[in-house]
Amino acid sequence: MLFVPKLQQIEVRFEDLTRQLADPAVIGDSEQYRKAAKARSDLDELVSHFRDWKKTASELDQARGMIQEHDAELREMAAEEVARLEPELARLEQELKILLLPKDPNDERNVVLEIRAGTGGDEATLFAAEIFRMYSRYAEGQHWRIEVTSTSESAVGGLKEIIALVSGERVYSKLKYESGVHRVQRVPVTEQQGRVHTSAITVAVLPEADEVEIKLDPKDIRIDTFCSSGPGGQSVNTTYSAVRITHLPTGLVVSCQDEKSQIKNRAKAERVLRSRLYEMELEKQQAALGAERRSMVGSGDRSEKIRTYNFPQNRVTDHRIGLTLHQLDLVMEGRLEPIIEALTTHYQTEKMKQQTEEGVPV
C-alpha cells in the first residue's frame, strides 16, 4: 500500500497528541488543550482504521505462510483464513483511501437552510412545507437543532419561503449536496380530474460563517425594526421586535422575526447575513476552478435540477448519480440516509479519480 509511510507519520502525530492531553501543562491551558483534543479527534478514525489494517495484514501474512505446511488440515484452515482476510484487507484499504482524501474545510460547520417555492403556485408552497418537514425529521434523527429565522406562508398553508439555522455535529457534511432544484410530480389536492402536475422548489444549504471570518462593519449595514406578523400572541404583533438588516455594499437583505426579543432576532439575522456573504466568497473561488473539476467535486449549484419526487409511483430519483428508490414515503419521513450516503460515496470516488489523474498516490 503506497501510503503506509504517510499513515505511519499520522500515527506518530496521534500518539504525540495523546501524550499532550495527559500533560499537566497542556491541561492547565484550556485553549491549548482544546486545540490538541480537536486535532486528536480529527485523526482518531483514520488511525483506528490504519491499526485495523496493520492487524489484518499481519494475520493475512501468517495465514499465507501456513499454506506451505505439510499438514493438510492446517493448509485447509489457512486457505479459509486467506479467503476471509483478503476481502477484509481490501475493504480497509478502500476506507483508508477515502479517509486520506483532503477534507472539505466546511464539513464541520452548521448551516443556513433556505427553501423557496418555485414553479407550480400553491402546490409548490405545499411541497416546500413538506420538504422542510422532511429535513426537520432528518435533523431530529441526527440530534441537530433547527432554529427558524423567517417564514412566508401561502394562502393554502404552504410555505413561499423558509430560512432556518441548523446546528449540530458535521451538519454541512451531510446536507451540502442538497442544494438545487427539487421537483415534485403528483396530483394536487385542487386537481379535479386526477391529472399529475409537476412543481418545483429550490433548496440552498449555506455553511455558517463565524464572526472572525466575516466581519460586519457597522457602516456597511442598515438595521430597520418593524412589528412582527403572523401567529405568536400580542407581544409578537405589537412590539418592534422584528429586524431587517441591509448590507449596503452588496444589497443583501435579511429579516428575522421568529423571536420576541429584538436582540435575539438581530443575532439570528446577522448569522444568516454572514453565511450569505461567506457563500459569495466561496462562489468566487468556485468560479476560479475549471468546469471539469467543479463537476467532479459537485458544485452544489442551486439552479441544477437534482431530484424528483414522484408520489404516484412512490419513487424518488437523484439525477446526479442516477439513484432511484421506491421508498418515497420513508424519505418524506426524514429517512434520507440512503441518498446522502450514496451521494457522499459518489463524490468521494470522483475525488479519488481526480487525485489519480493528477498523479497523487491513493
Side-chain angles (χ1 to χ4, degrees):
M1 194 165 63
L2 292 174
F3 42 83
V4 167
K6 181 176 181 178
L7 287 165
Q8 289 171 334
Q9 293 174 4
I10 292 171
E11 187 176 27
V12 169
R13 170 66 176 156
F14 180 82
E15 291 168 350
D16 178 55
L17 289 164
T18 302
R19 285 191 293 272
Q20 286 184 37
L21 293 175
D23 185 340
V26 175
I27 294 172
D29 185 332
S30 60
E31 182 62 19
Q32 189 178 353
Y33 184 87
R34 185 188 65 79
K35 288 180 179 178
K38 175 69 168 61
R40 185 186 182 281
S41 175
D42 290 343
L43 299 178
D44 196 1
E45 185 180 9
L46 178 58
V47 171
S48 176
H49 271 69
F50 179 46
R51 289 172 175 172
D52 287 345
W53 177 86
K54 287 193 295 183
K55 179 173 178 290
T56 303
S58 175
E59 291 174 354
L60 182 58
D61 285 343
Q62 291 175 21
R64 284 170 173 164
M66 289 172 63
I67 290 180
Q68 309 303 320
E69 294 287 338
H70 296 295
D71 188 306
E73 188 175 347
L74 277 177
R75 288 202 306 271
E76 185 180 349
M77 289 173 58
E80 289 176 358
E81 274 295 277
V82 169
R84 180 182 69 84
L85 291 168
E86 281 182 340
E88 176 66 11
L89 191 68
R91 180 186 68 81
L92 288 167
E93 284 189 12
Q94 183 67 14
E95 290 178 358
L96 281 169
K97 288 177 182 179
I98 291 171
L99 289 169
L100 280 169
L101 289 172
K103 297 288 188 292
D104 184 334
N106 292 319
D107 275 352
E108 301 289 336
R109 294 179 186 269
N110 299 328
V111 307
V112 175
L113 174 65
E114 302 183 348
I115 300 173
R116 294 180 176 87
T119 54
D122 288 341
E123 169 64 8
T125 70
L126 292 171
F127 184 55
E130 291 174 58
I131 288 294
F132 179 68
R133 178 179 176 274
M134 177 187 78
Y135 287 129
S136 298
R137 287 292 182 88
Y138 178 69
E140 287 173 15
Q142 299 294 314
H143 306 293
W144 296 340
R145 179 185 180 191
I146 290 189
E147 302 172 79
V148 174
T149 64
S150 68
T151 59
S152 175
E153 295 185 3
S154 68
V156 295
L159 291 171
K160 296 177 182 177
E161 175 187 271
I162 184 164
I163 300 172
L165 299 163
V166 188
S167 310
E169 184 177 350
R170 294 180 61 79
V171 180
Y172 186 74
S173 71
K174 301 283 181 69
L175 296 183
K176 62 183 175 182
Y177 299 123
E178 294 300 299
S179 291
V181 176
H182 295 238
R183 189 175 64 170
V184 60
Q185 295 174 329
R186 65 182 176 188
V187 179
V189 292
T190 55
E191 170 60 47
Q192 302 297 320
Q193 299 179 10
R195 292 174 299 185
V196 174
H197 287 225
T198 298
S199 304
I201 67 165
T202 60
V203 173
V205 177
L206 319 180
E208 184 182 357
D210 58 37
E211 295 181 30
V212 175
E213 293 167 316
I214 302 292
K215 290 187 179 294
L216 296 178
D217 193 324
K219 73 177 189 321
D220 288 341
I221 59 176
R222 184 180 73 239
I223 298 175
D224 301 306
T225 58
F226 56 98
C227 292
S228 300
S229 60
Q234 291 182 338
S235 60
V236 173
N237 295 294
T238 60
T239 62
Y240 285 82
S241 58
V243 172
R244 182 188 301 111
I245 300 179
T246 304
H247 188 249
L248 301 175
T250 61
L252 288 174
V253 179
V254 176
S255 300
C256 182
Q257 59 179 25
D258 188 56
E259 301 284 351
K260 294 180 180 179
S261 162
Q262 185 184 117
I263 294 173
K264 290 181 179 179
N265 279 329
R266 174 171 173 171
K268 280 187 177 182
E270 286 180 349
R271 288 171 67 184
V272 174
L273 178 57
R274 283 194 194 93
S275 298
R276 289 186 181 171
L277 291 170
Y278 183 67
E279 188 207 21
M280 290 175 70
E281 289 300 314
L282 291 180
E283 286 176 349
K284 289 178 184 176
Q285 294 171 20
Q286 284 280 335
L289 296 173
E292 180 181 355
R293 179 159 182 166
R294 283 205 307 276
S295 67
M296 285 182 174
V297 300
S299 64
D301 184 354
R302 301 184 211 175
S303 62
E304 180 185 6
K305 184 186 73 176
I306 65 167
R307 197 172 297 151
T308 295
Y309 304 74
N310 185 298
F311 279 76
Q313 299 176 18
N314 194 35
R315 169 174 57 84
V316 58
T317 299
D318 195 288
H319 303 288
R320 295 163 295 181
I321 58 176
L323 174 70
T324 294
L325 300 173
H326 289 276
Q327 301 174 342
L328 179 57
D329 52 341
L330 298 178
V331 169
M332 296 308 293
E333 288 298 320
R335 299 283 293 277
L336 291 170
E337 291 86 354
I339 297 175
I340 289 173
E341 288 171 8
L343 285 164
T344 301
T345 300
H346 170 79
Y347 287 115
Q348 284 173 340
T349 303
E350 292 299 316
K351 285 180 181 178
M352 282 195 287
K353 288 181 185 175
Q354 177 188 331
Q355 289 205 340
T356 301
E357 291 170 2
E358 293 176 354
V360 179
V362 292

